[in-house]
Amino acid sequence: MDSTAQISGALPGRMVDALVLGGPAMWAIAALSVLSLALIFWKLWDLLAAGAWSGGARTQAAIEAWARGDIGAAEAELKDRRSLRAQLARAAMASLRDPQLDRAGAEAETARVARNLLARARSGLRGLELAVVIGPLLGLLGTVAGMIAAFRALQEAGVQADPATLAGGIWEALLTTAAGMAVAIPAQIALSGFDAVVDRLRHDMEDAATRIFARAPAENGDTNRERPRAAAE
């Protein structure tokens, strides 16, 4: 009981001691770790809200209804759906049904919407990329600064230098390298996972758009070709 309380009470103290020993670089790494963790949790919530792991069953059902020519059912399946797949499918269908757009214009409009949706899906990933790069660099900076201070103290001590003092200074300096890697590794894992999710979303959206344009209902045939010149005039 007492030993457990002692360990739990010593952990925060050890963390503070590590921050103090590491110097300004360690404080910067600690702030970076907090920001990275917050960004990871926010990105998880953002992708969940975007339907990244929903599978797109409603979107697939809408595309099948669209291919059968049941436009009402397709629109009903996508109504009020906020997932990125559903938004892309809804934009593609709307573009094909827009009398002011020919097929090329509908494809361009769908591509524009897809780019915006993918940009939203990738929002925040640059911050994780920065954490992956900056974390080890901050750690290296702190280590170099600590080593300089340790060897300077050794030089000032002269012949009376204590090797234990030098070893202690090096140990303290290496703390920042370990801390920087501890921040960069989880950030890199999260970044790779999020990149894989975004790539999957891109594939699903491209597949949905292709199926919608390739299987447009017959009654929308006038949207799948160039508008007559006389109608344009």
Side-chain angles (χ1 to χ4, degrees):
M1 186 78 175
D2 294 337
S3 61
T4 303
Q6 183 178 2
I7 293 174
S8 62
L11 183 58
R14 290 179 181 178
M15 294 177 64
V16 174
D17 290 342
L19 290 174
V20 173
L21 292 174
M26 183 66 84
W27 287 99
I29 292 172
L32 182 64
S33 68
V34 173
L35 292 175
S36 299
L37 188 61
L39 184 57
I40 289 172
F41 281 116
W42 171 79
K43 194 59 192 175
L44 282 171
W45 174 86
D46 182 59
L47 289 175
L48 280 172
W53 292 283
S54 64
R58 297 287 294 274
T59 303
Q60 294 299 325
I63 295 174
E64 291 174 1
W66 171 268
R68 294 193 306 267
D70 193 347
I71 298 175
E75 293 178 343
E77 289 286 350
L78 298 175
K79 185 178 181 181
D80 298 330
R81 302 296 297 178
R82 300 181 60 183
S83 70
L84 299 185
R85 298 179 182 90
Q87 292 184 54
L88 189 279
R90 190 161 52 237
M93 293 178 185
S95 298
L96 278 171
R97 298 188 65 197
D98 190 342
Q100 297 182 353
L101 295 175
D102 56 19
R103 186 178 181 88
E107 291 177 351
E109 175 62 17
T110 303
R112 182 191 67 82
V113 173
R115 286 193 298 269
N116 291 337
L117 293 175
L118 288 173
R120 176 198 162 184
R122 290 194 58 83
S123 62
L125 297 189
R126 285 301 182 97
L128 286 178
E129 292 177 0
L130 185 63
V132 170
V133 175
I134 295 297
L137 290 179
L138 286 174
L140 181 60
L141 176 62
T143 296
V144 171
M147 295 287 286
I148 292 174
F151 282 109
R152 181 178 179 181
L154 180 63
Q155 180 184 13
E156 292 176 353
V159 295
Q160 299 179 352
D162 185 2
T165 302
L166 177 61
I170 295 175
W171 175 79
E172 295 171 3
L174 290 175
L175 278 176
T176 56
T177 297
M181 294 176 66
V183 172
I185 291 173
Q188 180 62 63
I189 293 173
L191 179 61
S192 298
F194 292 147
D195 276 336
V197 172
V198 173
D199 286 341
R200 180 62 183 175
L201 281 173
R202 180 186 296 110
H203 173 270
D204 290 350
M205 292 165 65
E206 289 177 352
D207 180 73
T210 300
R211 292 174 62 190
I212 289 171
F213 275 86
R215 304 179 183 180
E219 54 266 35
N220 287 340
D222 58 333
T223 64
N224 296 330
R225 59 176 181 270
E226 297 287 339
R227 285 178 297 163
R229 184 171 303 177
E233 296 174 353

